[in-house]
Amino acid sequence: MFREGTNSEENMGNLFCCVQVDQSKVAIKEKFGRFVEVLEPGCHCLPWFLGHQIAGHLSLRLQQLDVRCETKTKDNVFVNVVASIQYRALADKADDAFYKLTNTRSQIQAYVFDVIRASVPKLNLDAAFEQKNEIAKAVEEELEKAMSAYGYEIVQTLIVDIEPDEHVKRAMNEINAAARMRVAANEKAEAEKILQIKRAEGEAESKYLSGLGIARQRQAIVDGLRDSVLGFSVNVPGTTAKDVMDMVLVTQYFDTMKEIGASSKSSAVFIPHGPGSVRDVASQIRDGLLQGSHQ
């Protein structure tokens, strides 16, 4: 009676005292139920009438086992850790791999559970994500030490995923979003601050330049009036500075009246408009200037 891996073709081959072993496999040969040797890929003579038989076949190909383990972190967050174990049987220890274990995948899964549930509870959730490689290394070392005695080699161990509870993931996303919004608000406030500072600096510079322009304008007016008074006094003998200033004030008065009348947006302004009023305005301006100079 054959174990796992036998089929009708092998039974037919045994009738002719020969058996074929496929590539990437080995066959376990027994004699009267006792292990004899490991048959390599190829065709082998199997005198069944002398008690020889094939107990089964063992694949040497790389196999993968995905293990999902639920545990909790140091900060009491339950997570599902998904580990991917890549392993294969060793050709020189094929008899141990065939006889010592009845269910290889269950055995590996038990070791993975043990290591993960001993490692993850020592870490906070963030640390568990950051130290995935360390967890995988601990699982691989424990499996390598345990499974080498059974004829198996652990090729690679990967922690492919750490899944917290859905509510925890939603909370983590909200925390991350709030932090990013806070950073964005700070950046926006800094930008507005810079704009206000630049705007204030621009206004200050504008007012400064406007003041310079007004000062230069007034200086030019004073210089022009002085030159006009001096020129008029020289060209018209007998006139005084007072006469010239009265004439200038009359001219300015009529220019002002002209501008007020020409402006379409001007409001109603009530001012004296007779010639005698010009004299009153001139005397008021002159008295104001003299009073300011005396003070």
Side-chain angles (χ1 to χ4, degrees), residues 215-226:
R216 291 175 181 175
Q217 179 186 14
R218 291 176 177 175
Q219 183 65 40
I221 292 173
V222 171
D223 294 340
L225 289 174
R226 183 182 64 248

Side-chain angles (χ1 to χ4, degrees), residues 53 66 169 250 261 269:
Q53 66 176 357
D66 293 329
K169 289 196 291 185
V250 171
V269 180

Side-chain angles (χ1 to χ4, degrees), residues 25 96 122 127 157 166 169 185 204 207 233 250:
K25 290 185 178 181
D96 290 336
K122 299 177 182 178
T157 300
E166 187 64 29
K169 289 196 291 185
K207 291 179 180 179
S233 299
V250 171

